[in-house]
Structures are given as structure tokens and as C-alpha cells.
Amino acid sequence: MVMVIATKYLYEKGSAESKQPRGIVPNRVGEAVREHSLTIFLLVTGAVWLALFMHMDAQGKWGQVVGNIVSEWTQVLGLVLLTKRLIETGSKDSR
């Protein structure tokens, strides 16, 4: 559910699925943050999940749940980064 909301409202430069943001950000840092807001969101929230996992018993019930979340978060981040960078010959969605 979080991923659906994040991909709907956050923008990722180079993604064919992202909606173009409105307006212009007056500075370069703000523009860079806006262009990569999905990646930044995934990195920050992934770091929080990882920190939580490091303070839990990995063999306990909740440790396993949070471990699975960390794993899935890493996979989603990888998919976002790979779909921005990889090219498929003949695909209309590739850069």
C-alpha cells in the first residue's frame, strides 16, 4: 500500500511512469530532491527499517517480519534504479 501511494505522488526523473511535476523549483538542490524524490523516500524509509531490524531479535517473530520488509524495500529500490538505467532494444519505454 505504501509503495502504491509513494509511486503515485513522488516523481522520479527518467521514469516513464512518473507524472511530470508542476512548476519550477528555484534552486538546484530543491530540483534534484524533486527529481529523485521516490529514490530518496525509499532510501530514507529503508534505512529506518534497517535500523529497526538491527535492534530486534532476528530470530523472533517481529524480527522476521521486519527482515522481510527490509528485503522487499531493497528489491523495490533496486527495481526503481534498474528501470531508470537499463535499456531494452526495441522497447518504446526504454531511453
Side-chain angles (χ1 to χ4, degrees), residues 3-84:
M3 294 313 302
V4 171
I5 293 170
T7 55
K8 179 172 175 53
Y9 292 105
L10 299 176
Y11 173 70
E12 192 62 37
K13 183 179 181 179
S15 170
E17 286 78 25
S18 288
K19 292 190 297 185
Q20 291 294 337
R22 296 183 204 149
I24 298 172
V25 178
N27 60 43
R28 294 178 80 170
V29 174
E31 184 65 24
V33 168
R34 180 170 74 168
E35 287 181 348
H36 303 287
S37 60
L38 180 58
T39 300
I40 293 168
F41 169 78
L42 291 171
L43 286 171
V44 170
T45 55
V48 171
W49 284 116
L50 183 61
L52 182 62
F53 178 72
M54 291 174 65
H55 287 88
M56 298 182 109
D57 174 23
Q59 300 303 316
K61 178 182 176 181
W62 287 108
Q64 291 178 2
V65 169
V66 174
N68 287 337
I69 292 171
V70 169
S71 173
E72 290 179 23
W73 229 252
T74 304
Q75 292 172 34
V76 170
L77 177 61
L79 284 173
V80 167
L81 296 176
L82 289 173
T83 55
K84 286 175 52 175

